[in-house]
């Protein structure tokens, strides 16, 4: 062996005897060894000196023997990092950690418990191994962290102190551990804001929200449950994360809120207390959930307003509407169904939104509204009660829905006014018209088809008629089928008995009456079928129904009405 080689072996042996490290042994650690073996993708914040932190850990020696564990105690560790309240190795090893980050720390003795150790637990000069997961980070200077996740386009008002709110939420710790959820309970959380019923952070975090808005609210412990925590679900010194959806809110002082979406022009009249209104509506909660709709029933909602037949909010909200108006009515719960709600579709304390389309309205005292569109010049003869008229008409609802038209038939409509053959409002609207005159008639239901309506006509509907008078014939007094223009013949039976055989059959009676009409001595009740009128006259006189009139049967009808001066067969 060469002298150099022998010298090298002697040197190694001496170093071994003196305790010098052998090749491959790095020797004592000078600082904490940090292995960041799990780093979350999102790290909103890193632990800095002076931060309060919460974490779990397992502590072992090099051989794996456990000397301490927060898991075994069932409680996380909370404290301030970097200010000497922890062993130096932990103070250094925890800094820069993210929430949910996991680290392996190797703490040399001089950064742990040194040459003294901990009696009965950690021997002197022990190197300590920690497996740590960071759960929470906050600072006494922190403020509420609010992130708007979504917000509706329409936001007429935001939450203020003293408002009553209804919201859904998911609550988690900062590491994502869930501790509560309104969704799991199947109902919103309902409370006043700014009245001390909520933790301070939620009282602040809900301010300024719109109905339908979603927010993430991160609340530091001193604005939440602080050092005590809450039960077994929220540890002491825990930051809380709430994902909040504001369903609706109102203030006990709120009245009805109106949005005039579409007001037709002109608006000749607005609804008042005592009016009967027909309207369509969609009823929704503030989050857009539909709870009722007249459209789904294909039938308007019909009611008096201002008389307590509907919820107070709608009683107020329909005041002043125009026919054809579309209006949004926002009703707070104290003017709707209150704390109890209604059925399974309207929760307690729910704000209701009604999108209303007013079809028509009327008052039980309303007369027929008549608008003359055209009246011929020089008109001095107008229609009267009992006149026979021919007219054209178009009938529609006030929303423009066409119902009937005489133009769909071969000839105009015919009627004797005052004989209850047409609705009362139309009969009234046809009076005092000139031939060629055109009118628009607005007929309330009590002068139309009433609450029950008619075939093709909804109940309680206001009707619009466009009428044009085509022709008219002078009528006869009520109860008469024929009147004389002068005095009747003194020997009436003899003149009527054309063949002088002492009896008057139907044919002879008809011939006589037609002759009187042709000579202008009298006139029949106007009708499209004069033969029927004459036949009815004969039947009235043929009292024993033997097909002929005898002198004893022929009698003049007494003029019972003192205003009528003629006599009738």
């Amino acid at each position: 062996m060469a002298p150099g080689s022998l010298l090298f072996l002697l040197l190694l042996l001496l170093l071994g005897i003196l305790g010098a490290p052998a090749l491959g042994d790095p020797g004592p650690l000078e600082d904490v060894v940090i292995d960041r073996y799990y780093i979350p993708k999102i790290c909103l914040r890193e632990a800095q000196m002076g931060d309060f932190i919460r974490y779990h850990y397992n502590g072992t020696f090099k051989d794996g023997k456990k000397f301490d564990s927060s898991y075994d105690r069932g409680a996380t560790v909370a404290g301030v990092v970097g200010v000497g309240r922890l062993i130096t190795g932990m103070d250094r090893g925890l800094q820069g950690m993210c929430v949910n980050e996991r680290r392996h720390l190797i703490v040399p003795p001089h950064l742990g418990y040194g040459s003294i150790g901990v009696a009965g637990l950690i021997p002197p000069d022990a190197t300590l191994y920690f497996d740590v997961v960071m759960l929470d980070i906050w600072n006494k200077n922190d403020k509420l962290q609010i992130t708007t996740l979504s917000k509706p386009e329409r936001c007429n008002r935001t939450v203020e102190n003293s408002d009553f709110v209804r919201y859904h939420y998911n609550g988690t710790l900062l590491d994502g551990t869930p501790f509560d959820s309104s969704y799991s309970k199947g109902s919103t959380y309902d409370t006043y804001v700014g009245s001390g019923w909520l933790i301070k952070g939620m009282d602040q975090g809900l301010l300024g929200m719109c109905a339908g808005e979603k927010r993430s609210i991160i609340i530091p412990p001193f604005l939440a449950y602080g050092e005590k925590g809450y039960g077994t679900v929220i540890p002491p010194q825990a930051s809380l994360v709430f994902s909040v959806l504001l369903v609706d809110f109102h203030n006990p002082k709120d009245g009805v809120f109106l949005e005039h979406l579409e007001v037709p022009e002109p608006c000749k009249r607005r609804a008042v207390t005592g009016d009967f209104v027909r309207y369509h509506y969609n009823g929704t909660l503030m989050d857009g959930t539909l709870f009722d709709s007249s459209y789904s029933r294909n039938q308007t909602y019909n009611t008096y307003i201002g008389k307590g037949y509907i919820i107070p909010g709608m009683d107020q909200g329909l005041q002043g509407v125009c026919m054809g108006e579309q209006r949004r009515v926002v009703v707070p719960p104290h003017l709707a169904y209150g704390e109890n709600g209604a059925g399974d579709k309207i929760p307690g304390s729910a704000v209701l939104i009604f999108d209303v389309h007013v079809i028509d309205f009327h008052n039980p005292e309303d007369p027929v509204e008549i608008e003359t569109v055209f009246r011929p010049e020089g008109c001095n003869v107008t229609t009267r009660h009992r006149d026979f008229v021919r007219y054209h008409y178009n009938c529609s609802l006030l929303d423009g829905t066409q119902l009937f038209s005489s133009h769909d038939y071969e000839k105009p409509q015919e009627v004797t006014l005052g004989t209850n053959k047409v609705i009362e409002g139309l009969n009234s609207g046809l009076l005092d018209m000139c031939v060629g005159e055109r009118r628009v008639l607005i007929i309330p239901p009590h002068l139309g088809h009433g609450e029950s309506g008619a075939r093709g006509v909804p109940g309680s509907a206001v009707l619009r008629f466009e009428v044009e008078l085509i022709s008219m014939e002078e009528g006869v007094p009520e109860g008469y089928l024929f009147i004389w223009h002068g005095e009747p013949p003194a020997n009436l039976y003899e003149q009527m008995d054309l063949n002088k055989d002492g009896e008057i059959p139907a044919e002879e009676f008809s011939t006589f009456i037609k002759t009187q009409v042709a000579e202008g001595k009298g006139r029949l009740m106007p009708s499209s079928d004069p033969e029927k009128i004459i036949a009815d006259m004969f039947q009235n006189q043929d009292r024993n129904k033997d097909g002929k009139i005898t002198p004893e049967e022929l009698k003049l009808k007494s003029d019972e009405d003192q205003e009528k001066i003629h006599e009738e067969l």
Side-chain angles (χ1 to χ4, degrees), residues 49-120:
M49 184 179 296
D51 283 343
F52 287 80
I53 58 173
R54 279 194 319 108
Y55 58 96
H56 261 310
Y57 73 91
N58 281 318
T60 65
F61 299 118
K62 185 175 182 180
D63 60 3
K65 181 180 178 182
K66 186 189 299 182
F67 64 82
D68 194 14
S69 172
S70 62
Y71 297 98
D72 293 344
R73 293 192 298 274
T76 55
V77 179
V80 182
V81 68
V83 293
R85 297 181 183 178
L86 303 172
I87 60 173
T88 305
M90 284 294 279
D91 254 349
R92 295 181 183 180
L94 293 173
Q95 291 190 46
M97 286 191 77
C98 306
V99 172
N100 287 325
E101 181 178 342
R102 294 177 178 269
R103 289 184 177 184
H104 288 305
L105 306 179
I106 303 175
V107 179
H110 66 282
L111 298 180
Y113 294 97
S115 59
I116 299 175
V118 177

Side-chain angles (χ1 to χ4, degrees), residues 231-295:
T232 60
V233 292
I234 299 177
Q237 302 290 23
S239 301
L240 306 182
V241 180
F242 287 91
S243 177
V244 175
L245 168 61
L246 184 63
V247 175
D248 73 13
F249 67 97
H250 73 281
N251 195 283
K253 297 179 181 179
D254 283 347
V256 172
F257 178 75
L258 301 179
E259 288 186 47
H260 299 275
L261 303 180
E262 183 178 323
V263 180
E265 292 292 343
C267 178
K268 296 181 179 179
R269 172 180 164 189
R270 294 180 179 272
V272 296
T273 293
D275 283 344
F276 190 87
V277 184
R278 294 195 318 123
Y279 60 95
H280 270 303
Y281 70 91
N282 284 320
T284 61
L285 306 179
M286 286 191 79
D287 64 357
T289 301
L290 183 71
F291 64 80
D292 194 16
S293 174
S294 64
Y295 296 99

Side-chain angles (χ1 to χ4, degrees), residues 293-336:
S293 174
S294 64
Y295 296 99
S296 65
R297 296 187 292 274
N298 197 31
Q299 184 176 358
T300 56
Y301 190 83
N302 309 331
T303 187
Y304 288 94
I305 63 170
K307 292 190 170 186
Y309 293 159
I310 49 180
I311 58 174
M314 284 299 282
D315 251 349
Q316 298 175 24
L318 291 172
Q319 295 282 337
V321 293
C322 300
M323 292 187 188
E325 180 175 342
Q326 296 186 51
R327 174 181 286 193
R328 173 167 290 172
V329 184
V330 182
V331 183
H334 53 274
L335 296 176

Side-chain angles (χ1 to χ4, degrees), residues 126-267:
T127 299
L128 307 178
Y129 294 78
F130 292 94
D131 186 45
V132 181
V133 57
M134 183 64 66
L135 301 177
D136 200 343
I137 305 169
W138 59 278
N139 192 287
K140 62 182 180 180
N141 295 321
D142 284 349
K143 296 181 180 179
L144 213 61
Q145 297 181 49
I146 297 175
T147 304
T148 299
L149 305 177
S150 66
K151 193 172 185 177
E153 292 182 5
R154 297 172 59 88
C155 183
N156 295 319
R157 176 183 161 190
T158 60
V159 174
E160 300 175 359
N161 280 324
S162 79
D163 283 343
F164 188 87
V165 295
R166 295 176 54 242
Y167 62 93
H168 271 302
Y169 69 90
N170 286 317
T172 66
L173 304 180
L174 204 60
D175 66 344
T177 302
F179 62 81
D180 197 12
S181 173
S182 63
Y183 296 97
S184 65
K185 300 181 180 69
S187 63
T188 55
Y189 191 82
D190 307 342
T191 188
Y192 287 93
V193 173
S195 300
W197 293 15
L198 294 166
I199 57 175
K200 292 181 180 179
M202 280 299 280
D203 256 346
Q204 298 174 22
L206 293 170
L207 294 176
M209 287 192 77
C210 304
E213 182 176 344
K214 292 182 180 180
R215 278 185 179 181
S216 172
I217 305 172
I218 302 177
I219 304 175
F222 55 85
L223 294 177
Y225 295 99
E227 296 180 359
K228 294 182 179 180
Y230 187 82
T232 60
V233 292
I234 299 177
Q237 302 290 23
S239 301
L240 306 182
V241 180
F242 287 91
S243 177
V244 175
L245 168 61
L246 184 63
V247 175
D248 73 13
F249 67 97
H250 73 281
N251 195 283
K253 297 179 181 179
D254 283 347
V256 172
F257 178 75
L258 301 179
E259 288 186 47
H260 299 275
L261 303 180
E262 183 178 323
V263 180
E265 292 292 343
C267 178

